[in-house]
Amino acid sequence: MSARRLLWWVVPALIVLLWLVGAGPQGASLGKLADVQTNDNSAFLPTSSESTEVAQQVSRFTEPGVVPAIVVYSADAPLTVAQRGVVAADAKSLGRLPGLRGPVVGPRFSEDRRAAELVVPLDSAGDVAGAVDTIRHAARDRAGLTAHVTGPAGLSADLGAAFAGIDGRLLLVTGALVFLILIVVYRSPLLPVVVLATATLALAAAGGVIYQLAKHDVLKLSGMSQGILFILVIGACTDYGLLLVARFREELHRHADRRRALTTAYRAALEPIAASGGTVILGVLCLLVTNLKSTHDVGPVAAVGIGASLLAALTFLPACLLLLGRAAFWPFAPRYGASRAPGRPGLWGRIARFVGRYPRRCWLVVGGVLLIVAVVFVPQLQASGTKQTDVFLHTEDSVTGQQVLAEHFPAGAGNPTQITARAGAADRVVAATRAVRGVSPSSVAVVGAGGRPGAGPAKVVDGRVLVEATLADAPDSAAAIDTVHRLRDRLASVPGADAKVGGFTAIQADTNATSEHDRAVVIPLVLAVVLVVLILLLRAVVAPLVLIASVVLSFAATLGVAALVFNHLLDFPGADPSVPLFAFVFLVALGVDYNIFLMSRVREESVRLGTRDGTLHALRATGGVITSAGVVLAATFAALAVLPILFLVQVAFLVAFGVLLDTIVVRSVLVPAAILDLGRASWWPSRLSRRPNPAG
């Protein structure tokens, strides 16, 4: 064996070994990502928000690092003496729990005498979820009392439980779906294993990098961004693998030597894969301009994942294909000189003939239907925010507890609105706050030296006082948010007060407002970035504008369909303002991938055959693989629905449906039909727009 032939075996073997040894052990980091998660809304607010400013000031008035757990007891009739004794005994026993940041407050009994509450101050730096479990075990149902643990600590614990096992459950469902699809696509037991191994190693590498970044506070990782990371890496890496494998199989029909076939396939697939990956990376990095930290930090997390996917798909996968050769496709190995897939008559040949015969009718009809769906139904999408208790798709103990609190106490009990103001204006601020509709007047008080509202003389820190007020509505409701806005407007008119409104409800209000602002900034930025990438890739202006228009139209139609499904089929309570933003970023960045796969092949074939024949040939050649890639990506995002979180289920539907719409309808019919109708003008101002058709 010559030295050169030996290198063709040694180099790919070394690449495979380096990935197995280097990235393989990093898989352990995936199981540790939960340890560096942050799922607290206040930790993700921009530093410029009013609620963040108040939180910083409040930390100087109260015990730092406190997250309250609220234990609420209820009965069908007024509490008996014995039941009151049970609540009092629980207050004493819970006060002996290790790691509390102050005494247990209560019991406090409702006016209808059918409920009682305790406030347990937990250490936010400790094991909050474990402490909540302990409280739930101690304050169990008994003596005719029903007990629930809610408040910020209870909600946080239930949210953490919803994300628990994300690395196992989500990966298992996603892997199984992708494996089944790949079996159908490849009709080979070996190739799906190789492609999934590529995606798994990419995920391990990305997980190792992100764990270190989150551990050292370079970025914040939430359960949401971790779930998106898993889906993006597996879906994107599989898509890149499908494109390379399809081209490799095509070249194996042309070349007897596997090395020459892979080299040709790699050169042809490198540009569209790199352009697709680069587009997604640039698209998600646009999230860095957002003010909401939870959205901001999804950008680098997703970019690291896509980068790892690109690296694995362009190194590990081709090395495996080179080592396996035709055996990778067993038992249907491609034979040299045999009829190639793109030349066989079939579904994509028939679609190409139909589009080629009626191009203008095709794009007008498809575009018109999508436009009608968008115009009619998008305004029905309710994406102005939801209550925090609506974040769960299943009924959680903290949600039930919040409902019991709202039934028997002022709904904002346990989550008071916090107001900081200059000490000299304290009385005027209290009076103005009591006069605001939606505030429980009797609850408004200045925090005293004892650390509680009304406890002694006012506590003054840096010339400011802290006022607490309980809202009449549930703290995460739209009505409570409206009250916060009214309160801010009223206090702004108190002379010399410099009053700032914060607390749980204010955080919700600022989060929603910031999300809406971010959406207005990011969407045009992503479109501009993607357009520039397409212009550079296709060396044209007209075709990229067509692609951008098609993706935007597809996204708008997807939102319209989602409005119908969310409102009338699934009966969702609404959507977070960031849901359309995330759906847009992923659909445009990922959806344009398939147009890149198609149009890079169209351009390649147009140079040889002319725009018309080149477009039809490219549609026949790429139809199967691009549709398969779209199905894989849709399936991976659909797997997010196994997590019982409203936000993730909505994003999963939007991206999954949008990808299928884009690959099956837009990329298969609308785009090639528009290019055929435009003809050579599609490539303006490049030379290709002025080049005579080789086919005459």
Side-chain angles (χ1 to χ4, degrees):
M1 180 181 294
S2 67
R4 185 172 181 179
R5 289 180 62 87
L6 183 62
L7 281 176
W8 279 100
W9 288 99
V10 172
V11 172
L14 284 175
I15 292 174
V16 170
L17 183 62
L18 284 173
W19 269 99
L20 294 175
V21 173
Q26 295 300 317
S29 298
L30 297 176
K32 297 188 291 184
L33 288 177
D35 299 336
V36 292
Q37 276 186 22
T38 303
N39 293 305
D40 178 14
N41 270 1
S42 61
F44 292 119
L45 278 174
T47 55
S48 59
S49 74
E50 186 170 331
S51 54
T52 301
E53 185 179 350
V54 172
Q56 293 168 348
Q57 294 175 0
V58 167
S59 66
R60 298 195 289 270
F61 285 88
T62 60
E63 185 74 20
V66 173
V67 54
I70 300 175
V71 188
V72 57
Y73 303 82
S74 63
D76 295 332
L79 302 185
T80 64
V81 173
Q83 289 172 329
R84 287 173 176 253
V86 168
V87 176
D90 280 355
K92 289 182 179 179
S93 63
L94 292 176
R96 293 191 290 269
L97 288 176
L100 296 188
R101 299 301 298 268
V104 173
V105 179
R108 184 166 73 97
F109 298 96
S110 63
E111 290 184 2
D112 62 9
R113 298 183 299 168
R114 292 191 295 131
E117 72 165 355
L118 303 172
V119 180
V120 185
L122 301 179
D123 186 353
S124 61
D127 182 8
V128 174
V132 168
D133 287 341
T134 301
I135 295 171
R136 282 175 173 159
H137 177 74
R140 59 193 180 279
D141 297 352
R142 63 198 188 282
L145 290 171
T146 301
H148 303 282
V149 180
T150 185
L155 288 167
S156 175
D158 288 341
L159 188 61
F163 284 118
I166 186 174
D167 53 319
R169 185 166 71 251
L170 184 58
L171 281 177
L172 180 64
V173 172
T174 306
L177 284 172
V178 173
F179 185 79
L180 289 175
I181 294 170
L182 292 180
I183 284 286
V184 173
V185 171
Y186 289 134
R187 297 180 298 165
S188 164
L190 187 56
L191 264 178
V193 174
V194 173
V195 173
L196 273 179
T198 305
T200 302
L201 288 171
L203 183 58
V209 172
I210 290 169
Y211 174 76
Q212 292 299 324
L213 293 175
K215 182 179 179 181
H216 294 92
D217 293 326
V218 177
L219 56 78
K220 288 189 181 296
L221 177 73
S222 65
M224 173 189 72
S225 55
Q226 183 180 337
I228 289 173
L229 168 71
F230 288 2
I231 293 305
L232 270 182
V233 171
I234 294 177
C237 196
T238 303
D239 276 5
Y240 303 148
L242 279 166
L243 188 66
L244 178 61
V245 170
R247 195 61 186 258
F248 181 46
R249 178 164 53 188
E250 187 178 333
E251 295 302 329
L252 284 173
H253 287 292
R254 292 195 181 103
H255 305 287
D257 184 8
R258 74 173 78 173
R259 292 166 296 182
R260 188 173 177 186
L262 181 64
T263 301
T264 305
Y266 192 88
R267 287 173 178 167
L270 177 60
E271 185 178 52
I273 290 176
S276 300
T279 302
V280 179
I281 290 173
L282 291 174
V284 297
L285 285 180
C286 289
L287 294 174
L288 288 173
V289 305
T290 59
N291 290 323
L292 196 64
K293 287 287 289 179
S294 58
T295 305
H296 176 281
D297 287 323
V298 170
V301 169
V304 170
I306 295 297
S309 301
L310 268 179
L311 189 60
L314 294 176
T315 56
F316 179 81
L317 180 58
C320 291
L321 293 177
L322 187 58
L323 292 173
L324 292 170
R326 285 179 168 80
F329 298 90
W330 181 87
F332 299 101
R335 290 177 294 130
Y336 171 59
S339 176
R340 300 189 303 277
R344 293 202 304 252
L347 174 64
W348 292 103
R350 292 193 295 272
I351 291 175
R353 283 198 298 271
F354 182 81
V355 172
R357 188 175 301 171
Y358 310 107
R360 183 165 298 176
R361 294 183 192 177
C362 285
W363 75 260
L364 282 175
V365 170
V366 172
V369 170
L370 295 180
L371 185 61
I372 291 171
V373 171
V375 170
V376 173
F377 298 113
V378 167
Q380 300 182 29
L381 185 67
Q382 302 168 13
S384 58
T386 59
K387 296 190 293 184
Q388 189 170 9
T389 49
D390 287 332
V391 72
F392 304 103
L393 291 180
H394 302 156
T395 301
E396 303 291 343
D397 184 62
S398 59
V399 175
T400 304
Q402 199 69 43
Q403 293 168 346
V404 173
L405 271 178
E407 182 180 350
H408 297 284
F409 294 92
N415 280 306
T417 293
Q418 298 165 318
I419 305 159
T420 63
R422 290 174 180 163
D427 292 340
R428 297 196 301 275
V429 168
V430 168
T433 301
R434 286 174 176 166
V436 173
R437 179 168 51 89
V439 175
S440 177
S442 61
S443 70
V444 183
V446 178
V447 171
R452 297 189 303 276
K459 183 177 182 179
V460 180
V461 178
D462 297 332
R464 298 183 72 83
V465 294
L466 173 63
V467 178
E468 290 192 350
T470 298
L471 303 185
D473 300 291
D476 57 355
S477 65
I481 290 175
D482 289 340
T483 300
V484 165
H485 291 315
R486 287 195 297 271
L487 187 56
R488 283 175 170 170
D489 291 341
R490 178 67 184 86
L491 293 179
S493 65
V494 177
D498 188 28
K500 306 288 184 183
V501 180
F504 181 87
T505 305
I507 289 173
Q508 291 290 105
D510 289 344
T511 298
N512 290 344
T514 306
S515 294
E516 292 173 359
H517 170 269
D518 290 344
R519 190 170 64 198
V521 171
V522 171
I523 287 178
L525 180 60
V526 171
L527 287 176
V529 168
V530 172
L531 178 61
V532 170
V533 172
L534 289 173
I535 289 173
L536 294 175
L537 175 69
L538 299 178
R539 278 87 84 183
V541 171
V542 174
L545 288 173
V546 170
L547 297 183
I548 287 292
S550 71
V551 172
V552 171
L553 186 59
S554 175
F555 170 71
T558 298
L559 285 184
V561 173
L564 290 175
V565 173
F566 294 169
N567 296 345
H568 305 294
L569 183 61
L570 300 179
D571 196 27
F572 284 155
D576 189 88
S578 61
V579 167
L581 172 60
F582 278 109
F584 178 84
V585 171
F586 293 132
L587 271 180
V588 171
L590 294 170
V592 83
D593 275 6
Y594 306 118
N595 283 323
I596 287 175
F597 294 162
L598 170 67
M599 291 304 296
S600 59
R601 187 63 181 267
V602 168
R603 194 181 196 286
E604 176 187 338
E605 300 297 340
S606 294
V607 172
R608 185 169 60 93
L609 302 173
T611 299
R612 175 179 172 79
D613 291 344
T615 300
L616 297 177
H617 181 85
L619 180 58
R620 288 191 296 267
T622 63
V625 63
I626 295 178
T627 302
S628 300
V631 170
V632 167
L633 189 64
T636 56
F637 265 92
L640 276 176
V642 304
L643 301 176
I645 304 296
L646 178 65
F647 172 90
L648 291 179
V649 171
Q650 290 175 327
V651 171
F653 175 84
L654 282 164
V655 178
F657 180 85
V659 165
L660 290 178
L661 178 65
D662 204 59
T663 53
I664 296 174
V665 178
V666 175
R667 193 271 317 157
S668 301
V669 179
L670 192 151
V671 169
I675 296 300
L676 286 172
D677 201 13
L678 287 168
R680 289 181 298 171
S682 303
W683 309 113
W684 184 88
S686 69
R687 292 180 181 177
L688 193 56
S689 66
R690 301 183 297 275
R691 184 174 178 178
N693 190 336

